Amino acid sequence: MKLPPLKALPVFEAVARLNSFSRAAEELRVSQSAVSHRIRQLEDYLGEALFLRGGRRLSLTDEGRAYLETVSAALGQIERASEQLQGRGGTRLRLAAHSSFAVRWLIPRMQDLQRRHPEVELMLEMMDDAPALSERVADAFITLHARQRGFTTEALYRERLFPICSRGFWQRVCADLRQDGLIDDDVPQRLDPAWLTRYPLLSASSIMGQPGEDWQTWLAAGGVRLPDTARMQHFSHMLMAHAATRHHQGIALTNDYMIDTADDPDLVRLPCYTVYTGDTFRFAYKSSRRNEPGLRLLRDWLLQQARQSGLLPG
């Protein structure tokens, strides 16, 4: 078996992950010259440059990126095998998730995970964009990726949109509709979607990618065209639109993981239809690691929480 200089591999992984020779030296508790020596030794053995060095800037070459993917996975497997032999059971995990899903749904439930499975040591990485499925990023993911070679994905939530507003704003809407003879009941059981265009619409471009596209899509599902006279306030993220609804500024669209109106006295879910966005949030992990104790516990707990909270059908 012909192997590369093995002591150089963790050095290469650290430099690539930290994007710095000096920070890698600090983490590994060696001198920067020792780090440079190990990288040169590895590059000489491979006959390929692994890094592009331009002044103070450092980046991986194409060959370096490809090599890192394999090396980091191999080092991770060695680490996990050693932990299992030491009796730690491989229950230390990094989980990468969308920031909104993590903040609004996952974090409020993590105390339950700690209570049920205190042996699971979870490090949460919040991502603004869909996290790349790579062990360099995390051990497991909550992602919108449908599938990727070598990874198993399991559905947690099929995203759907519905309108909400503040309780005070809802009372105003009901009073207006009664005055105009559109409803008879104090609290209507169903609203015509066209009626909502009479009021300020709070749009979050993070939902569909473009300002106003969330409301256009939702209204179109009810056969309604967004009128040119509609008053629309644009926000980059759903969290900001939510804040505006709490200040009685209009009607916003949201989804099941962002809010539970049954437990929120300030917000009302309007009696209207729901529209599926086409996005499905999935739990993803390396298929080769499916039998690891920590991943099995985390997977089972996430699926149980998704069913219990109504994200997944029971």
Side-chain angles (χ1 to χ4, degrees), residues 163-165 169-170 173-178 182-199 215 218-219 222 224 251 268-273:
I164 59 168
C165 67
F169 198 91
W170 174 235
V173 168
C174 291
D176 287 348
L177 296 177
R178 280 195 302 272
L182 296 174
I183 61 172
D184 297 324
D185 301 329
D186 288 341
V187 180
Q189 298 300 307
R190 195 75 175 172
L191 290 184
D192 186 320
W195 296 346
L196 303 190
T197 64
R198 298 154 53 117
Y199 301 95
W215 275 107
W218 187 85
L219 288 167
V224 177
I251 303 171
V268 173
R269 178 172 175 171
L270 276 58
C272 295
Y273 55 84

Side-chain angles (χ1 to χ4, degrees), residues 124-195:
L124 188 59
E125 297 279 353
M126 294 195 297
M127 306 290 184
D128 290 331
D129 298 318
L133 301 188
S134 167
E135 287 189 316
R136 288 188 287 113
V137 178
D139 301 297
F141 306 82
I142 295 174
T143 179
L144 296 175
H145 288 291
R147 59 175 58 90
Q148 182 171 307
R149 184 177 180 183
F151 281 81
T152 297
T153 62
E154 301 188 59
L156 292 175
Y157 172 56
R158 185 182 172 202
E159 186 180 39
R160 58 182 189 167
L161 299 178
F162 50 87
I164 59 168
C165 67
S166 70
R167 193 163 298 279
F169 198 91
W170 174 235
Q171 292 170 355
R172 170 190 158 188
V173 168
C174 291
D176 287 348
L177 296 177
R178 280 195 302 272
Q179 183 175 345
D180 292 346
L182 296 174
I183 61 172
D184 297 324
D185 301 329
D186 288 341
V187 180
Q189 298 300 307
R190 195 75 175 172
L191 290 184
D192 186 320
W195 296 346

Side-chain angles (χ1 to χ4, degrees), residues 148-153 284-291 295:
Q148 182 171 307
R149 184 177 180 183
F151 281 81
T152 297
T153 62
Y285 52 93
K286 206 70 173 288
S287 300
S288 60
R289 299 179 60 182
R290 60 183 175 275
N291 291 323
L295 276 173

Side-chain angles (χ1 to χ4, degrees), residues 47 79 128 150 213 307:
E79 180 183 25
D128 290 331
E213 191 175 355
R307 293 189 187 97

Side-chain angles (χ1 to χ4, degrees), residues 34 45 58 81 83 98 186 191 216 219 229 272 276 293 295 302 306 314:
Y45 174 85
L58 182 72
E83 287 179 342
H98 288 269
D186 288 341
L191 290 184
Q216 292 172 14
L219 288 167
T229 56
C272 295
Y276 287 96
L295 276 173
L302 281 170

Side-chain angles (χ1 to χ4, degrees), residues 167 246 260-268:
R167 193 163 298 279
R246 293 184 187 278
D260 182 358
T261 52
D263 294 329
D264 194 322
D266 298 324
L267 296 179
V268 173

Side-chain angles (χ1 to χ4, degrees), residues 204-252:
S205 57
S206 63
I207 299 177
M208 296 288 186
Q210 296 295 327
E213 191 175 355
D214 51 349
W215 275 107
Q216 292 172 14
T217 301
W218 187 85
L219 288 167
V224 177
R225 178 183 173 277
L226 183 67
D228 295 335
T229 56
R231 291 166 290 166
M232 186 172 290
Q233 175 66 53
H234 297 285
F235 299 91
S236 63
H237 199 279
M238 199 185 289
L239 283 170
M240 300 170 72
H242 278 198
T245 61
R246 293 184 187 278
H247 289 279
H248 321 294
Q249 294 176 20
I251 303 171

